[in-house]
Amino acid sequence: MIKAIAVDMDGTFLNSNNDYDRKAFLELFKKLKAKEVRFVVASGNQYAQISSFFPEIWREITFVSENGGLVFEKGNLLIKNIIAKPIIQDTLTLLEKTSYKVGIILCGVQSAYILKSENADLKKEAAKYYFALKEIDSFQDLPDDEWVKIALQLEDKNAFSIIDLMNEKNNSQLKAVYSGHGSVDLIANEVNKGNTLNQLLNQWEIKPEQFLAFGDSNNDLEMLELAGYSYSMANASEQVTRVAKYQAPSNDENGVISTINALFDKLG
């Protein structure tokens, strides 16, 4: 029986209009609660952003944010996986030397940070995904915060080149993963959605074979590998489709909600 469900957001739970069928999901969520099935949002995005999509029920959802870097329950920080400040500084220095045009968002526990000198388009785009966002003068003198991720934005055609470069030149200090649409996240090597979700499952005494997960991008791979019931979206990357055991309809076809409803007899 399925006792926990985790969903990625962009390209998975959210449709192309950056929303979901709220009425249908609230009805489904009531059924999940009645069957005592835990619901987890697992995203590369910031907690302040992803929790805003669930105004009525956010206190009843577990949020795995920053690709597994932070976990929140009932508004409280439950798990944090911190990257040491010297590693952050070394990586920022390496990024400054790359020939690729890269926008940088530095992600901390308290806030995300972007340079005042960054272009207006990136600032506007960053504000969509980082509700707690501050502009700073330089990355040389870092704010008083703890660090969980460096988010990069660049032309999609260069995304895998920068991933190869960072994984080769960064002395294995951080791992570069593709989040889709020209977004690359630099996270601690041992941190990913799968490892963090495994921690939660252990705390909840739930086995991986009782776990259902949905994803579409490569930062979902470890989560899907963990899940006994793993679904790629019809719009997923080729690698995700190969890893997942099953396929759900696309994010624009209400794929997550319809699949959970179809599996209702296996819940609880």
Side-chain angles (χ1 to χ4, degrees):
M1 300 295 281
I2 296 168
K3 296 185 178 297
I5 300 171
V7 301
D8 170 56
M9 288 293 279
D10 296 323
T12 300
F13 192 73
L14 298 179
N15 58 35
S16 297
N17 293 320
N18 203 41
D19 206 349
Y20 62 97
D21 188 334
R22 295 179 183 244
K23 181 180 178 181
F25 179 68
L26 285 175
E27 291 174 358
L28 173 60
F29 189 76
K30 290 177 184 177
K31 296 176 183 177
L32 296 179
K33 279 185 64 180
K35 285 181 170 280
E36 298 183 340
V37 177
R38 293 181 179 268
F39 187 79
V40 184
V41 170
S43 173
N45 294 337
Q46 188 184 57
Y47 166 69
Q49 190 253 10
I50 56 178
S51 61
S52 72
F53 283 99
F54 306 92
E56 302 94 343
I57 55 174
W58 65 273
R59 286 188 175 274
E60 301 172 79
I61 294 173
T62 302
F63 294 93
V64 175
S65 64
E66 311 286 10
N67 277 326
L70 299 173
V71 178
F72 291 85
E73 274 190 345
K74 298 180 180 178
N76 299 314
L77 180 58
L78 187 67
I79 296 172
K80 62 179 179 179
N81 295 295
I82 302 305
I83 302 169
K85 185 176 179 179
I87 294 176
I88 291 290
Q89 290 174 320
D90 289 348
T91 305
L92 290 170
T93 299
L94 179 59
L95 286 167
E96 289 175 357
K97 296 177 180 178
T98 180
S99 59
Y100 298 103
K101 185 178 180 181
V102 179
I104 300 173
I105 303 166
L106 181 57
C107 304
V109 173
Q110 300 174 33
S111 179
Y113 303 87
I114 192 170
L115 293 178
K116 292 179 181 178
S117 59
E118 194 56 81
N119 70 74
D121 287 342
L122 179 60
K123 289 181 181 180
K124 184 178 179 180
E125 187 70 12
K128 295 179 183 178
Y129 298 99
Y130 298 92
F131 284 15
L133 180 66
K134 297 179 181 179
E135 295 188 16
I136 58 176
D137 293 316
S138 169
F139 287 134
Q140 298 299 315
D141 188 16
L142 295 179
D144 184 18
D145 205 336
E146 295 177 295
W147 310 110
V148 294
K149 189 182 76 175
I150 301 174
L152 311 179
Q153 191 67 39
L154 66 163
E155 291 185 35
D156 200 46
K157 65 181 182 180
N158 295 327
F160 287 95
S161 295
I162 200 77
I163 287 173
D164 291 341
L165 175 68
M166 296 307 298
N167 286 337
E168 177 186 351
K169 300 292 186 181
N170 203 31
N171 297 320
S172 299
Q173 294 190 104
L174 297 177
K175 175 178 61 179
V177 296
Y178 182 62
S179 299
H181 309 292
S183 297
V184 173
D185 287 344
L186 303 178
I187 56 180
N189 286 308
E190 72 281 2
V191 174
N192 56 63
K193 294 181 184 181
N195 283 348
T196 301
L197 282 161
N198 195 38
Q199 286 181 258
L200 288 172
L201 294 181
N202 286 334
Q203 289 180 20
W204 296 335
E205 297 184 345
I206 295 174
K207 299 175 182 178
E209 52 264 36
Q210 298 170 312
F211 174 48
L212 166 63
F214 297 86
D216 75 301
S217 291
N218 290 7
N219 62 339
D220 299 318
L221 290 171
E222 292 88 355
M223 173 175 74
L224 295 172
E225 288 170 346
L226 173 68
Y229 296 85
S230 57
Y231 280 81
S232 64
M233 309 308 291
N235 52 287
S237 71
E238 291 183 12
Q239 193 170 354
V240 168
T241 301
R242 288 196 301 269
V243 166
K245 296 181 178 71
Y246 311 102
Q247 187 176 91
S250 77
N251 63 321
D252 285 329
E253 298 173 284
N254 218 20
V256 169
I257 295 173
S258 63
T259 300
I260 295 173
N261 277 320
L263 293 170
F264 195 74
D265 290 343
K266 296 182 182 292
L267 301 178

